[in-house]
Amino acid sequence: MSYTAPVNDMLFVMKELAGLDDIAALPGYEDANADTAQAVLDESAKFCGEVLAPLNVEGDRNPSTWRDGKVTTTPGFSDAFRHFTAGGWQSLQHPPEYEGQGLPKLIATPCLEMLNASNLSFALCPMLTDGAIEALLTAGSEEQKQAYVPKLLSGVWTGTMNLTEPQAGSDLALVRTRAEPQADGSYKLFGTKIFITWGEHDMADNIVHLVLARTPDAPAGVKGISLFIVPKFVGGARNDVHCVSIEHKLGIKASPTAVLQFGDHGGATGYLIGEENRGLEYMFIMMNAARFAVGVQGIAISDRAYQKAVAYAKERVQSRPVDGSSKEPVAIIEHPDVRRMLSTMRALTEASRALAYVAAAHCDLARRHPDAATRAGHQAVYEYLVPIVKGWSTELSLDVTSLGVQVHGGMGFIEETGAAQYYRDARILPIYEGTTAIQANDLVGRKTLRDNGVVAQQLLAQIAQTVDALVAQRGGAFESMRQQLSHAHHALQASVNFVVWNAKNDPNAVFAGSVPYLKLAGIVLGGWQMARAMLAAARKRDEDPSFYDAKIATAQFYAEHVLPQAAALETSIVSARGGEGVLGLSADQF
Amino acid sequence: MSYTAPVNDMLFVMKELAGLDDIAALPGYEDANADTAQAVLDESAKFCGEVLAPLNVEGDRNPSTWRDGKVTTTPGFSDAFRHFTAGGWQSLQHPPEYEGQGLPKLIATPCLEMLNASNLSFALCPMLTDGAIEALLTAGSEEQKQAYVPKLLSGVWTGTMNLTEPQAGSDLALVRTRAEPQADGSYKLFGTKIFITWGEHDMADNIVHLVLARTPDAPAGVKGISLFIVPKFVGGARNDVHCVSIEHKLGIKASPTAVLQFGDHGGATGYLIGEENRGLEYMFIMMNAARFAVGVQGIAISDRAYQKAVAYAKERVQSRPVDGSSKEPVAIIEHPDVRRMLSTMRALTEASRALAYVAAAHCDLARRHPDAATRAGHQAVYEYLVPIVKGWSTELSLDVTSLGVQVHGGMGFIEETGAAQYYRDARILPIYEGTTAIQANDLVGRKTLRDNGVVAQQLLAQIAQTVDALVAQRGGAFESMRQQLSHAHHALQASVNFVVWNAKNDPNAVFAGSVPYLKLAGIVLGGWQMARAMLAAARKRDEDPSFYDAKIATAQFYAEHVLPQAAALETSIVSARGGEGVLGLSADQF
């Protein structure tokens, strides 16, 4: 199989780091115990490995195509989508009231990872549908929920999110699409939306577009944007929304990225969701879920690239070992630098996975914990982690997929090998659903400054406790982790202080370091999870020595090769004289 | 223009950092003064910008194609190649005895950079021809030199290097191609060579393949490999070497990468170069030049990506400034994180350029200095620098071209934008002519251990002098550089010591850190050049305040955002308990 889901590592993280037992104790999640998790993950692994993974390369070679307004998807995708929805995979974490299965995010997340690892292009269709469902559940009327959600869950229809316009990418204040109210309470929409993922295709009977637009008297800027449902078909009749082209992209080629034209033939019929001018607010609620999901895409493509590189490194024989232990050439996995590359890929993937699953558990606790204050606390931690999971995991995926190519040597550059596809596919991840800079601005502005760093300090205190717990363990691996996590903790502490203390008087200095701060937070929080994993491994080692020893060795590698970067990032953030270095050149000197 | 050669920065580096005046004082280089350099660079900039740069995107969209053994190149390439050779650009640094122009490498290098920045795929053809010329001049008979070199210089013929076979990539000991001696002193060759750059095409009358092969009684391994000339046409008759396919690649698509079949129809006629079994030795001499050239490719593609990103960032208007200085959206170059990305691209490009040009000057001094001991000294420094220029500059180019995509946001992922092509093209650079790991092994094994670190210590002593010189300068920029370069110097010192002291007793530990050591050396030596550039800028500031202030600001950015990584690399190399972390997992635990 070209992809084997790492079910053991996933279950380890869920149980030992993310507290699956605590989640299963929440009201409404009583069935979500370890046995359920194992069963769901095994079934998902089977489906993703057998059905979706083999279609991945096909999607790259025979991408979706556009002709006369119609998009034809890669052969095999429609069938796979029917199997996917028939298997209930779309409805995993959605509420039972609308025919969902109501599983916690902690169980849905590994399934999401498998889905994306097996076929990133395919996975985007259900991911966007998830986003539409989330928006409808958040702000839709009961009638709208009943009308759309069950059809979206069953896969008869799919959903999209229409935000971007040619002049409005990161800056949604610039959205121009118009929505004119009609006598019957509906609206007519006019405008152009670009970069609409799965905006047109042949896998479902209808496509439910959720569209940001302005009503005639709306205020300028982000406070005048409303959210509308614009279905491709309304009551069986074709609506005036048309796909005028799809993009020719670097990667995720099977996923059609549509330019949608609304209202060129009299106006596209749309229905307001929630209240006027609150569209961006609804989008932001949904966007936390979408951004988290894109972060998981980063982890997924990293794992896929890792698996392929390992397989090649075990098979390819080249050169004698540097320590003279053999006169014959050996499999390249025996060479220290190949081992270093594979260990880097593995350590980064495991750390980012652990952090994402822990974030998912916070989300579940924020939704279902009986105590309101506890819910609010977990919500705050989840919201702090979302931009890190999104930004850090996707930036990592660029490094990991690049190393995947490098392990393959010259073969990595040949498209037929397949390693290059992951490298190309991954490149969109730090861009869409908000670039890394947008995530970093969110982390600084909304997630760190708004509460004066309270959540960040709580996390730092927990990291300090883990550092203390490492002291009791013997051996070089634990000693390395204790030392490096302690240094890294100080680096993050200093950076959080810098952000909190300087944001008002010198915003340029703080935002010049916002992406380094996001990366630093990712490295340290990921390292913290690896440290917790080591401690769990020490406790449980005798149950499965090979698995737990590998976990400890991977954590040691992370401590010695990833955590030391924390101090360098701190220097860039804190010691760089208020962004003077970043802003030292005037625009015309570039 | 889509590419404007940075002639000012190039001339600054040549004069102030690489010592152009000293080179022009060498016997045989009397004409290579600043005026000559300026004239050659201006002319090269014009040709590359006007003729080659516009063809670059065309080469990506209409790559070379193969049909029935023939390769048709991208429309426009043949004409451009005629202009290129007619302009004398192939003969720049080759000796006048064979109709070359005999210019120093220091002047040829910026021209090489321009050539590659304007069109990486195109540039590979003359680069491989350079390699063939170098091999012939090194080891060919006078008759061979006369027969081939002038034709290669004039562009009537082109050259290739045939090393790789399916089972023999990094490990040339595994080469199997056979060469059977014939009664007339020639040989018949049989075998398959892969990854042969410009191995077949329609731009020249003949192609001179230089081929590694084994004679019947040759010893096994690398000591039994000889080097042969195998022309596509011999005396007007088609030789038995045929292109059976070309590769479908991630990037540099206009450059045909051929599978060549030798001897399927009775044997390909070949001529031995130099002595039997010394082929690899000749290749290594030539390879220093080829590896240096690939390093320059990394700098070139970085600069091209930088220029494109700057142009987009100045033009694209999106979002208000974070410091509240405007209520209107501004060009994205005004946003701190975009500035950080562009500054990173710029600082890495300038530092790697400076290091490469300084290396070129050492090469010229090694060739032409009247004193033999001085020549040997410069040769040793040049050889130490080559794997760093190759490995570090090409690894950097991955980061720089990736940032180039990121600056473009969603547009960066659309192929028509062009930023993605640089990202794809660059990916081969850390692989071909020896992967980064191979460069790092060379840096450790041949360049650091063989002389017990003497050259490395010489360079460290010079860096320490530069740190001292920074003390006399006032201002935060110089203070940052002094502090960070001093830390970085210590990190490199500790790493060199670690390598020298541990290579024999613990080779795995040393080679587990070989790529980090190469990157560390690149970061520190590049930072050293930026520090020297600051000092020169302080001296000359009044002549051109805008240029020199920008140089100082870029150097400050490098000090604060690149040099801090040195300490992290030192930890990975030195403190990582003898590679325990890298080698902690057994092969079957991956």
Side-chain angles (χ1 to χ4, degrees):
Chain A
M1 275 212 293
S2 63
Y3 169 69
T4 305
V7 173
N8 279 349
D9 194 55
M10 290 169 159
L11 287 168
F12 166 78
V13 172
M14 294 164 74
K15 289 183 207 170
E16 305 302 327
L17 305 182
L20 178 61
D21 289 349
D22 296 339
I23 304 304
L26 294 172
Y29 289 155
E30 293 82 0
D31 296 337
N33 55 30
D35 290 343
T36 306
Q38 172 99 49
V40 172
L41 266 60
D42 283 343
E43 199 58 36
S44 173
K46 190 168 180 291
F47 174 75
C48 291
E50 289 176 5
V51 178
L52 297 180
L55 280 175
N56 189 47
V57 66
E58 187 62 23
D60 195 54
R61 288 180 197 160
N62 296 308
S64 288
T65 52
W66 179 94
R67 189 170 172 168
D68 296 337
K70 290 200 165 67
V71 170
T72 307
T73 50
T74 302
F77 268 47
S78 267
D79 275 355
F81 186 67
R82 269 193 295 278
H83 284 116
F84 173 82
T85 48
W89 298 110
Q90 182 82 61
S91 66
L92 226 48
Q93 60 176 322
H94 296 296
E97 304 91 281
Y98 303 97
E99 299 169 32
Q101 297 179 56
L103 284 171
K105 193 177 186 80
L106 182 55
I107 294 182
T109 299
C111 298
L112 184 69
E113 182 187 326
M114 295 179 197
L115 181 63
N116 280 286
S118 60
N119 200 319
L120 205 60
S121 284
F122 178 92
L124 281 163
C125 188
M127 188 187 295
L128 270 293
T129 300
D130 273 342
I133 293 168
E134 199 102 22
L136 286 161
L137 293 175
T138 300
S141 66
E142 190 52 39
E143 193 189 340
Q144 286 171 337
K145 291 180 196 174
Q146 294 292 355
Y148 294 100
V149 175
K151 292 220 147 115
L152 290 168
L153 285 181
S154 68
V156 183
W157 298 356
T158 68
T160 71
M161 287 164 57
N162 288 238
L163 287 73
T164 306
E165 300 178 9
Q167 80 293 347
S170 295
D171 187 1
L172 292 172
L174 303 177
V175 159
R176 282 190 206 139
T177 296
R178 289 180 297 124
E180 295 182 356
Q182 306 297 304
D184 65 353
S186 71
Y187 291 76
K188 292 280 184 203
L189 275 80
F190 303 87
T192 304
K193 293 287 181 179
I194 64 169
F195 296 160
I196 309 309
T197 300
W198 286 94
E200 177 58 35
H201 62 83
D202 57 5
M203 305 206 303
D205 295 347
N206 201 358
I207 303 175
V208 181
H209 303 295
L210 298 197
V211 185
L212 290 184
R214 293 183 186 282
T215 52
D217 303 321
V222 293
K223 289 177 182 164
I225 299 175
S226 305
L227 183 61
F228 297 89
I229 304 170
V230 183
K232 179 177 168 185
F233 291 98
V234 178
R238 189 71 169 81
N239 200 356
D240 185 11
V241 46
H242 296 280
C243 175
V244 295
S245 66
I246 62 174
E247 305 291 352
H248 172 221
K249 305 190 300 292
L250 174 61
I252 53 164
K253 297 187 180 189
S255 161
T257 303
V259 177
L260 293 184
Q261 200 66 32
F262 293 83
D264 274 6
H265 310 281
T269 298
Y271 308 99
L272 182 69
I273 303 183
E275 295 173 29
E276 268 189 34
N277 300 332
R278 292 184 62 187
L280 211 68
E281 184 188 322
Y282 305 145
M283 271 288 172
F284 264 108
I285 294 167
M286 175 177 67
M287 226 180 281
N288 268 335
R291 288 176 171 183
F292 177 86
V294 174
V296 173
Q297 292 194 301
I299 300 158
I301 193 90
S302 292
D303 194 40
R304 182 87 187 248
Y306 167 75
Q307 292 191 20
K308 189 171 186 72
V310 166
Y312 184 79
K314 287 182 174 176
E315 174 196 301
R316 171 76 169 172
V317 172
Q318 201 82 174
S319 301
R320 299 178 195 172
V322 289
D323 63 3
S325 59
S326 164
K327 293 282 174 208
E328 296 299 315
V330 292
I332 62 170
I333 197 169
E334 302 299 337
H335 297 309
D337 190 64
V338 173
R339 204 68 77 86
R340 184 190 61 81
M341 291 193 279
L342 295 175
S343 294
T344 304
M345 298 172 77
R346 179 187 180 103
L348 293 175
T349 305
E350 288 189 9
S352 55
R353 172 182 298 131
L355 186 61
Y357 291 15
V358 166
H362 282 292
C363 181
D364 288 326
L365 289 159
R367 279 183 190 157
R368 298 288 177 109
H369 197 280
D371 177 58
T374 306
R375 283 202 302 277
H378 286 289
Q379 181 67 26
V381 176
Y382 175 62
E383 289 188 2
Y384 183 85
L385 293 178
V386 165
I388 301 169
V389 168
K390 199 287 184 182
W392 182 58
S393 309
T394 61
E395 291 281 342
L396 284 189
S397 75
L398 304 186
D399 296 334
V400 173
T401 56
S402 180
L403 286 171
V405 172
Q406 191 72 18
V407 168
H408 285 80
M411 292 306 297
F413 201 65
I414 306 300
E415 284 288 4
E416 283 75 4
T417 305
Q421 184 188 347
Y422 309 143
Y423 182 68
R424 289 188 286 98
D425 285 355
R427 195 63 196 78
I428 190 60
L429 303 179
I431 295 175
Y432 66 15
E433 291 297 337
T435 63
T436 306
I438 296 287
Q439 305 303 321
N441 286 356
D442 181 51
L443 181 66
V444 167
R446 286 190 202 84
K447 311 297 170 66
T448 304
L449 293 176
R450 200 169 277 180
D451 71 353
N452 272 308
V454 168
V455 169
Q457 300 292 0
Q458 284 169 4
L459 290 167
L460 282 160
Q462 292 179 54
I463 297 171
Q465 286 172 9
T466 301
V467 172
D468 289 344
L470 289 163
V471 176
Q473 301 292 328
R474 288 167 181 275
F478 289 92
E479 170 58 20
S480 271
M481 179 58 91
R482 192 196 54 70
Q483 194 180 329
Q484 296 300 333
L485 185 60
S486 174
H487 292 334
H489 171 271
H490 290 302
L492 182 57
Q493 179 72 68
S495 301
V496 168
N497 290 347
F498 176 82
V499 166
V500 172
W501 294 340
N502 293 283
K504 276 207 182 122
N505 57 342
D506 195 354
N508 281 322
V510 168
F511 285 97
S514 61
V515 168
Y517 168 51
L518 180 147
K519 288 186 180 174
L520 172 62
I523 285 171
V524 181
L525 293 168
W528 175 37
Q529 299 312 323
M530 293 306 277
R532 295 180 65 221
M534 287 178 107
L535 292 167
R539 283 194 305 273
K540 301 179 67 75
R541 184 182 177 280
D542 292 345
E543 291 177 24
D544 184 351
S546 172
F547 177 82
Y548 289 112
D549 286 349
K551 183 59 84 178
I552 292 169
T554 305
Q556 180 179 2
F557 183 89
Y558 189 97
E560 293 169 352
H561 295 264
V562 182
L563 281 176
Q565 297 164 23
L569 289 162
E570 180 203 345
T571 301
S572 298
I573 299 162
V574 176
S575 313
R577 295 191 163 66
E580 184 187 315
V582 170
L583 302 165
L585 286 162
S586 64
D588 61 355
Q589 281 177 313
F590 279 92
Chain B
M1 275 211 293
S2 63
Y3 169 68
T4 305
V7 173
N8 279 350
D9 194 55
M10 290 169 159
L11 286 168
F12 166 77
V13 172
M14 293 164 75
K15 289 183 206 169
E16 304 302 327
L17 306 182
L20 178 61
D21 289 350
D22 297 339
I23 303 304
L26 294 172
Y29 288 156
E30 293 83 0
D31 296 336
N33 54 31
D35 290 342
T36 306
Q38 172 99 48
V40 172
L41 265 61
D42 283 342
E43 199 57 38
S44 173
K46 191 167 179 291
F47 175 75
C48 291
E50 290 176 4
V51 178
L52 297 180
L55 279 174
N56 189 47
V57 67
E58 188 62 23
D60 195 55
R61 287 181 198 160
N62 296 307
S64 289
T65 52
W66 178 95
R67 190 169 171 169
D68 297 335
K70 290 198 165 66
V71 170
T72 306
T73 51
T74 301
F77 269 46
S78 268
D79 275 354
F81 186 66
R82 269 193 296 279
H83 283 117
F84 173 82
T85 49
W89 298 109
Q90 182 81 62
S91 66
L92 226 48
Q93 60 177 320
H94 296 296
E97 305 91 282
Y98 304 97
E99 301 171 29
Q101 297 180 55
L103 284 171
K105 193 177 185 81
L106 182 54
I107 294 183
T109 298
C111 299
L112 184 69
E113 183 188 324
M114 295 179 198
L115 180 65
N116 279 286
S118 60
N119 200 320
L120 206 60
S121 284
F122 178 92
L124 281 163
C125 188
M127 188 186 295
L128 269 293
T129 300
D130 272 343
I133 292 168
E134 199 102 23
L136 287 160
L137 293 175
T138 301
S141 66
E142 190 53 38
E143 193 189 340
Q144 287 170 338
K145 292 179 196 175
Q146 294 293 356
Y148 295 100
V149 175
K151 292 219 147 113
L152 290 168
L153 284 181
S154 68
V156 183
W157 297 355
T158 68
T160 71
M161 288 163 56
N162 289 238
L163 287 72
T164 306
E165 300 178 8
Q167 80 293 345
S170 295
D171 188 1
L172 292 171
L174 304 177
V175 159
R176 281 189 207 141
T177 296
R178 289 179 297 124
E180 295 183 356
Q182 306 297 305
D184 66 354
S186 72
Y187 291 76
K188 291 279 184 204
L189 274 80
F190 304 88
T192 304
K193 292 287 181 180
I194 65 168
F195 296 160
I196 309 309
T197 300
W198 286 95
E200 176 59 36
H201 63 83
D202 56 6
M203 305 205 305
D205 295 348
N206 201 356
I207 302 175
V208 182
H209 302 295
L210 298 198
V211 186
L212 290 184
R214 293 183 186 284
T215 52
D217 303 322
V222 293
K223 289 177 182 164
I225 299 175
S226 305
L227 184 61
F228 298 88
I229 304 170
V230 183
K232 178 176 168 185
F233 290 98
V234 178
R238 189 70 170 80
N239 200 356
D240 185 12
V241 45
H242 297 278
C243 174
V244 295
S245 66
I246 62 173
E247 304 292 352
H248 172 221
K249 306 190 300 294
L250 174 61
I252 55 163
K253 296 188 182 190
S255 160
T257 303
V259 177
L260 292 183
Q261 200 65 33
F262 293 83
D264 274 6
H265 310 281
T269 298
Y271 307 99
L272 183 68
I273 302 184
E275 295 173 30
E276 268 189 35
N277 300 332
R278 292 185 62 187
L280 210 67
E281 185 188 321
Y282 304 145
M283 272 286 173
F284 263 107
I285 293 167
M286 176 177 67
M287 226 180 280
N288 268 335
R291 288 176 171 183
F292 176 86
V294 174
V296 173
Q297 293 194 301
I299 300 159
I301 193 90
S302 293
D303 193 40
R304 181 87 186 247
Y306 167 74
Q307 292 190 20
K308 189 171 186 71
V310 167
Y312 184 79
K314 287 181 175 177
E315 173 196 302
R316 172 76 170 172
V317 172
Q318 201 81 173
S319 302
R320 299 177 195 173
V322 289
D323 63 4
S325 58
S326 163
K327 293 281 174 208
E328 296 301 314
V330 292
I332 62 171
I333 197 170
E334 301 298 338
H335 297 310
D337 191 64
V338 174
R339 204 69 78 85
R340 185 190 61 80
M341 290 193 279
L342 295 175
S343 295
T344 304
M345 298 172 77
R346 178 187 180 102
L348 294 175
T349 305
E350 289 189 8
S352 55
R353 172 182 298 131
L355 187 61
Y357 291 14
V358 165
H362 282 292
C363 182
D364 288 327
L365 289 159
R367 281 184 190 157
R368 297 289 177 110
H369 197 280
D371 177 59
T374 306
R375 283 202 303 276
H378 285 290
Q379 181 66 26
V381 175
Y382 175 62
E383 290 187 1
Y384 182 85
L385 294 178
V386 165
I388 300 169
V389 168
K390 200 287 182 182
W392 182 58
S393 309
T394 61
E395 291 281 342
L396 284 190
S397 74
L398 304 186
D399 296 334
V400 173
T401 55
S402 180
L403 285 171
V405 172
Q406 190 72 18
V407 168
H408 286 81
M411 291 306 297
F413 201 65
I414 306 300
E415 284 289 3
E416 283 76 3
T417 305
Q421 185 187 347
Y422 309 143
Y423 182 68
R424 288 188 286 99
D425 284 355
R427 195 62 195 78
I428 190 60
L429 303 180
I431 296 175
Y432 65 16
E433 291 298 337
T435 63
T436 306
I438 297 287
Q439 305 303 323
N441 287 356
D442 180 50
L443 181 66
V444 167
R446 287 189 202 84
K447 311 299 170 65
T448 304
L449 293 175
R450 200 169 278 180
D451 70 355
N452 272 309
V454 168
V455 168
Q457 300 292 0
Q458 284 169 4
L459 290 167
L460 282 160
Q462 292 179 52
I463 295 171
Q465 286 172 9
T466 301
V467 172
D468 290 343
L470 289 163
V471 176
Q473 302 292 328
R474 286 166 182 274
F478 288 92
E479 171 58 20
S480 270
M481 179 58 90
R482 192 196 53 72
Q483 193 179 330
Q484 295 300 333
L485 186 60
S486 173
H487 292 335
H489 171 271
H490 289 302
L492 182 57
Q493 179 72 67
S495 301
V496 168
N497 291 346
F498 177 82
V499 167
V500 172
W501 294 339
N502 292 283
K504 277 208 180 119
N505 57 342
D506 196 353
N508 281 322
V510 168
F511 284 97
S514 61
V515 168
Y517 168 51
L518 180 147
K519 288 185 179 175
L520 172 60
I523 285 171
V524 181
L525 293 168
W528 175 38
Q529 300 312 322
M530 293 306 278
R532 296 180 64 222
M534 286 178 108
L535 292 168
R539 283 194 305 274
K540 301 177 68 73
R541 184 182 177 279
D542 293 344
E543 292 177 24
D544 184 351
S546 173
F547 177 82
Y548 289 112
D549 285 350
K551 183 58 85 177
I552 292 170
T554 306
Q556 179 179 2
F557 183 90
Y558 189 98
E560 293 170 352
H561 294 263
V562 183
L563 280 176
Q565 297 165 22
L569 290 163
E570 180 202 345
T571 301
S572 298
I573 299 162
V574 176
S575 312
R577 294 193 162 63
E580 185 186 314
V582 170
L583 302 164
L585 286 161
S586 64
D588 61 354
Q589 281 177 313
F590 279 92

